Amino acid sequence: MVCRAILKYVLECCLSGTGHSEIKAGYVGCGSYYARTIGYPVRQPIAESSLRSRPFLESAKMKNLLLGQLGQDDFSRLEPYLKTMPFTQHSVLFEAEREIEHVYFPTTAVVSLVVTLESGDMVEAAMVGSDGVVGASAALDGRISLSLGVVQLGGDIVVCSIEGLKSAALQSPKLLSLLIRHEQTVYAQAQQSAACFASHHVQARLCRWLLRARDLAGTDTLPFTQDYLAEMLGVRRTSVTVVAHTLQSAGLIKYARGKIQIRDVEALQDGACECYGSVKRHYARLLGKPAK
Ligand SMILES: [Zn+2]
């Protein structure tokens, strides 16, 4: 059933692009992890003028792969529609089957695109950070969200209006091409997730997931509980407990008080399934990001 949901997501991505809706924090799903995170603040009290200031945005441009690839003309067209905003972990950016209202370019935050099932179970289909954008399909006329978007790791995101991005893309074939190629990378991630779920062992999948999160977060210490990891991987918590214990005993990670410290990256790479490398190659090919 879970595999069917992921495959449905993949097909919908292929047909319509990924889509996302409004900036909000709160309830999503029934009995899910995020249903227990109602009330997380979305935005810290920072002056509007600062959020839109040129130093803020120029700094953000350097931190996001897509914004960083824009020429000065394209960035100047977008700039009036951009502002940098801090988001806390577990903030919900948009819900499935809701109209999209904003586009998000993460700089230090990491976002998960998640498929939610009727049972309340959830599985991550893709992870996007400073190497991408979420909600951009809205600027390509895919206004209805097909997945839940939730902040996996808190940090800053450059928020853009849909109309602003759409207007800029219509004036720039280069920007339009970049957005389409990025949607392909998200689609490729979702495809890989479906194959991974169906074919690879939980331990290899957890290694892959931790490496991807580490790459995007830029840190070896990740604030994830075992409950959260179980939901993202679509497995039972007991499975994650067993696998985390195995990895810790082998010296690959250290797990304590809801935080995972990665202690041996090379060993973790050796233990990860092929999907980790496959996704990196897709990004390198489609967006020019060097595969490490
Ligand atoms: Zn895999």
Side-chain angles (χ1 to χ4, degrees):
M1 184 173 178
V2 173
C3 290
R4 276 206 309 275
I6 296 175
L7 288 169
K8 179 171 180 285
Y9 175 87
V10 168
L11 290 172
E12 288 172 340
C13 282
C14 184
L15 294 173
S16 309
T18 51
H20 321 286
S21 60
E22 59 198 24
I23 303 176
K24 62 186 292 188
Y27 172 83
V28 171
C30 177
S32 71
Y33 187 83
Y34 297 105
R36 299 191 291 274
T37 64
I38 298 171
Y40 275 78
V42 170
R43 181 174 168 178
Q44 307 299 323
I46 295 178
E48 185 79 6
S49 57
S50 296
L51 296 168
R52 293 183 181 277
S53 70
R54 181 171 287 268
F56 249 73
L57 295 177
E58 287 292 343
S59 172
K61 183 177 188 296
M62 301 304 293
K63 294 175 183 172
N64 181 275
L65 179 69
L66 267 64
L67 291 177
Q69 290 195 16
L70 298 182
Q72 194 55 48
D73 285 355
D74 287 339
F75 191 72
S76 295
R77 287 190 193 98
L78 275 185
E79 198 169 351
Y81 306 101
L82 302 178
K83 60 180 174 182
T84 303
M85 296 176 67
F87 287 78
T88 55
Q89 187 181 31
H90 304 317
S91 297
V92 174
L93 301 182
F94 46 80
E95 299 176 36
E97 300 180 21
R98 298 283 294 274
E99 189 163 313
I100 301 162
E101 294 189 357
H102 298 88
V103 181
Y104 305 87
F105 295 90
T107 55
T108 57
V110 179
V111 178
S112 290
L113 301 180
V114 176
V115 175
T116 306
L117 306 179
E118 289 180 357
S119 63
D121 291 337
M122 308 168 81
V123 182
E124 183 185 76
M127 193 188 299
V128 178
S130 60
D131 59 355
V133 57
V134 287
S137 63
L140 305 173
D141 285 337
R143 293 299 296 256
I144 302 300
S145 171
L146 302 174
S147 60
L148 163 69
V150 65
V151 177
Q152 176 195 110
L153 288 169
D156 288 346
I157 298 177
V158 176
V159 181
C160 181
S161 78
I162 290 171
E163 294 308 320
L165 182 59
K166 185 174 183 177
S167 172
L170 290 176
Q171 296 176 65
S172 169
K174 186 178 177 183
L175 173 56
L176 183 60
S177 170
L178 185 63
L179 294 176
I180 291 172
R181 281 183 280 120
H182 179 269
E183 293 308 297
Q184 278 188 289
T185 64
V186 175
Y187 171 55
Q189 268 204 76
Q191 273 186 311
Q192 203 72 45
S193 295
C196 193
F197 190 92
S199 303
H200 294 153
H201 188 271
V202 175
Q203 183 165 317
R205 293 175 58 213
L206 179 58
C207 291
R208 170 209 173 187
W209 196 92
L210 291 174
L211 287 168
R212 171 75 175 153
R214 173 185 177 273
D215 287 349
L216 296 178
T219 174
D220 288 330
T221 303
L222 303 169
F224 299 125
T225 65
Q226 292 191 7
D227 283 332
Y228 182 87
L229 293 173
E231 290 219 341
M232 290 299 98
L233 295 173
V235 299
R236 294 182 185 277
R237 186 187 186 282
T238 49
S239 299
V240 169
T241 301
V242 170
V243 167
H245 180 73
T246 301
L247 295 178
Q248 181 162 262
S249 298
L252 276 65
I253 64 170
K254 182 180 179 183
Y255 190 87
R257 293 187 290 276
K259 289 189 176 179
I260 294 177
Q261 184 182 6
I262 295 175
R263 308 189 74 172
D264 190 336
V265 176
E266 287 189 6
L268 209 59
Q269 289 172 339
D270 290 341
C273 59
E274 67 194 66
C275 302
Y276 173 64
S278 296
V279 169
K280 286 175 78 78
R281 286 191 294 277
H282 290 317
Y283 270 83
R285 180 172 58 84
L286 291 165
L287 298 177
K289 182 179 181 181
K292 294 179 182 175

